Amino acid sequence: MNADGTRQVRNYPFSEPTGLELDPFYSHLRENEPLSRVQLPYGDEAWLCTRYDDVRAVLSDTRFSRAETLKRDEPRIGSEVVDRGLLSMDPPDHSRLRRVANAGLTPRQSDRLRPLTMQITEQLIDRLATLEPPVDLIAEFITPLAVTVICELLGVPYEDREDFQKWSQAVVATTSMEPAQINEYLENLNRYMAKLVDLRRKEPVDGMLSDMIKVRDESPDRLSEDELVLVAVRLLAPGAQNTVLTLANFIQVLMNHPRELARLRENPELVPAAVEELVRYTPFHTSTMFPRYALEDVEVGGTVIRAGDAVVGSICSANRDPEVFSSPEELDFERPANPHLGFGQGHHYCPGTHLARMQLQVAIEALARRVDDLALAVPEESLSWKKGMVVRWLDELPVRWSRINS
């Protein structure tokens, strides 16, 4: 509080994100000021939630609206106001579009892709064995794996995959690209996806996009063609990007915990739990994302948030809340309960969760099993991170190893 009794408004993010470190000030706020007032670089002031229960409540309560952000100057990192498609919608409009997205991102599709993902993973590790360390694992393993899987799922022809990957970066950019370039890439992605939808309607293949088209065409409240393209671009195109940055960050964490990496080799049955713990433990965003506006007065954690106020919740902070997770600063693959919020909560829960879990499990199990003594090839402080992104994204991940097993 200020001397006059008003709440202090802090600039947010509190510091420049450093690698995968979580600003310790989140811990201070959880203990002393779980709902605080913040000012992001652009847009309205907002309430910041840092405790697990409060963040979960805001994500789940329909009295907090995403659609209202389109009518206001929403708190944000970048200068440009971006319509995020489904992520800027509330039910029932959101539910109508989400139903089509869910049709393509089913556990069945992930299970169907698991053997292919395993095959691609083994081939990429075989290729690593022909290279002399140090090697950029992002360029030689992580990106080819992620792009191949999402393109197989969408039915993107091989010759188009490089452009598809490049244009998709615009979906998660803030200041790393000029606004004109972001718009150009998004327009290219929209045009490309519209052509791909038309192709897959005429020539269906066993994949996500064909499943989505089928559900859309048979639905009584069916989407327009533009809405179908919107679903594909805003939810599905970033899938490869998110897998690249998440897997790279997870591998860096594992290399910093060599004992835990060795345990995964000896106990591969721990891999699914390890992936969940890595989701909880590893900060994903550089700050909070996707503010919501209160549609009426709502009490959260003992504080009344007035109608019209913006609220942002730190999932990274919530996932380190000691009231929910014992020893939250430790990486524990045998944590008895792990109700993390890494994939979101409520009607904006990540629709690609099944696919993400499958890819992360396959890649981590294979690396632990086949690559001995995987380690950074440079000092950790020399790693370069992309600037102007809403996510923590390494430019390169130079690694070495002692042996790659067949």
Side-chain angles (χ1 to χ4, degrees):
M1 289 283 187
N2 295 315
D4 60 1
T6 60
R7 284 185 179 264
Q8 178 183 358
V9 179
R10 298 180 177 89
N11 289 329
Y12 182 73
F14 308 120
S15 61
E16 181 71 22
T18 303
L20 296 177
E21 293 298 315
L22 190 60
D23 193 315
F25 195 61
Y26 285 114
S27 177
H28 170 82
L29 289 177
R30 279 196 309 267
E31 294 175 15
N32 301 285
E33 196 181 348
L35 263 75
S36 58
R37 296 290 288 172
V38 295
Q39 176 68 66
L40 274 74
Y42 301 92
D44 294 339
E45 288 182 11
W47 290 98
L48 171 67
C49 303
T50 50
R51 286 183 181 168
Y52 180 94
D53 288 345
D54 296 341
V55 174
R56 192 175 190 276
V58 169
L59 295 178
S60 305
D61 194 327
T62 56
R63 292 175 295 177
F64 292 104
S65 169
R66 280 290 301 148
E68 282 294 304
T69 61
L70 298 179
K71 306 173 187 176
R72 300 171 183 267
D73 191 17
E74 71 169 282
R76 60 196 184 279
I77 299 295
S79 59
E80 296 298 302
V81 179
V82 178
D83 178 357
R84 299 186 184 277
L86 269 75
L87 295 174
S88 298
M89 291 182 175
D90 296 332
D93 290 337
H94 175 271
S95 305
R96 192 168 61 89
L97 272 68
R98 177 66 181 250
R99 187 160 50 248
V100 171
N102 288 345
L105 289 163
T106 61
R108 182 189 72 84
Q109 284 289 5
S110 297
D111 291 343
R112 180 185 70 82
L113 276 174
R114 185 178 285 268
L116 177 62
T117 304
M118 294 170 67
Q119 178 186 343
I120 296 166
T121 300
E122 298 295 336
Q123 290 172 346
L124 288 169
I125 294 178
D126 288 343
R127 186 174 179 279
L128 282 181
T130 68
L131 305 177
E132 187 70 28
V135 167
D136 176 13
L137 204 64
I138 291 177
E140 301 295 344
F141 175 74
I142 297 172
T143 297
L145 173 62
V147 172
T148 302
V149 170
I150 197 69
C151 288
E152 287 288 337
L153 195 58
L154 282 168
V156 175
Y158 183 83
E159 61 272 16
D160 297 338
R161 294 181 180 184
E162 186 174 340
D163 283 339
F164 180 85
Q165 164 77 357
K166 179 178 70 174
W167 297 334
S168 296
Q169 291 185 45
V171 181
V172 291
T174 55
T175 58
S176 62
M177 296 182 187
E178 293 297 324
Q181 187 180 35
I182 292 176
N183 290 332
E184 178 190 346
Y185 279 14
L186 288 176
E187 287 172 7
N188 290 342
L189 199 54
N190 275 287
R191 280 196 297 269
Y192 180 78
M193 197 65 74
K195 292 179 182 176
L196 191 60
V197 166
D198 185 57
L199 173 65
R200 290 296 159 241
R201 180 174 281 115
K202 294 173 182 173
E203 302 175 14
V205 296
D206 188 7
M208 176 171 62
L209 201 55
S210 294
D211 285 352
M212 288 171 56
I213 292 168
K214 184 173 185 293
V215 168
R216 177 263 181 191
D217 290 350
E218 295 175 356
S219 175
D221 57 347
R222 70 191 218 165
L223 276 57
S224 68
E225 202 74 359
D226 286 346
E227 287 175 323
L228 179 59
V229 171
L230 173 71
V231 172
V233 168
R234 294 296 187 177
L235 277 186
L236 310 179
Q241 310 293 339
N242 288 341
T243 301
V244 168
L245 67 96
T246 301
L247 185 52
N249 293 347
F250 283 8
I251 292 169
Q252 186 191 342
V253 170
L254 287 169
M255 289 188 298
N256 284 336
H257 295 78
R259 273 196 202 170
E260 299 306 306
L261 182 55
R263 286 184 69 212
L264 296 182
R265 172 181 298 156
E266 297 159 7
N267 304 281
E269 69 278 4
L270 281 178
V271 168
V275 167
E276 298 307 308
E277 176 67 348
L278 286 162
V279 172
R280 181 199 71 82
Y281 179 86
T282 310
F284 182 73
H285 301 122
T286 54
S287 69
T288 61
M289 291 179 65
F290 311 134
R292 289 157 169 79
Y293 282 85
L295 297 176
E296 57 185 78
D297 291 358
V298 186
E299 183 177 321
V300 177
T303 297
V304 175
I305 296 175
R306 299 298 179 188
D309 281 0
V311 187
V312 290
S314 172
I315 288 175
C316 297
S317 175
N319 284 340
R320 300 284 184 96
D321 190 338
E323 294 296 317
V324 179
F325 305 98
S326 60
S327 304
E329 302 300 324
E330 294 180 11
L331 190 68
D332 182 1
F333 293 162
E334 296 183 273
R335 191 173 291 281
N338 197 348
H340 65 75
L341 299 176
F343 291 116
Q345 186 71 29
H347 54 259
H348 284 292
Y349 183 78
C350 175
T353 299
H354 299 298
L355 180 64
R357 282 185 169 125
M358 181 274 290
Q359 292 181 83
L360 294 167
Q361 290 170 8
V362 168
I364 288 171
E365 186 280 330
L367 286 170
R369 170 171 44 85
R370 293 194 57 187
V371 183
D372 291 350
D373 304 315
L374 184 66
L376 273 176
V378 297
E380 186 172 358
E381 58 271 19
S382 71
L383 291 174
S384 173
W385 296 81
K386 293 184 186 295
K387 302 292 185 182
M389 307 293 279
V390 296
V391 288
R392 298 174 187 249
W393 193 336
L394 280 163
D395 286 313
E396 296 180 338
L397 186 59
V399 300
R400 54 178 173 78
W401 56 81
S402 61
R403 183 178 65 177
I404 293 183
N405 304 299
S406 58

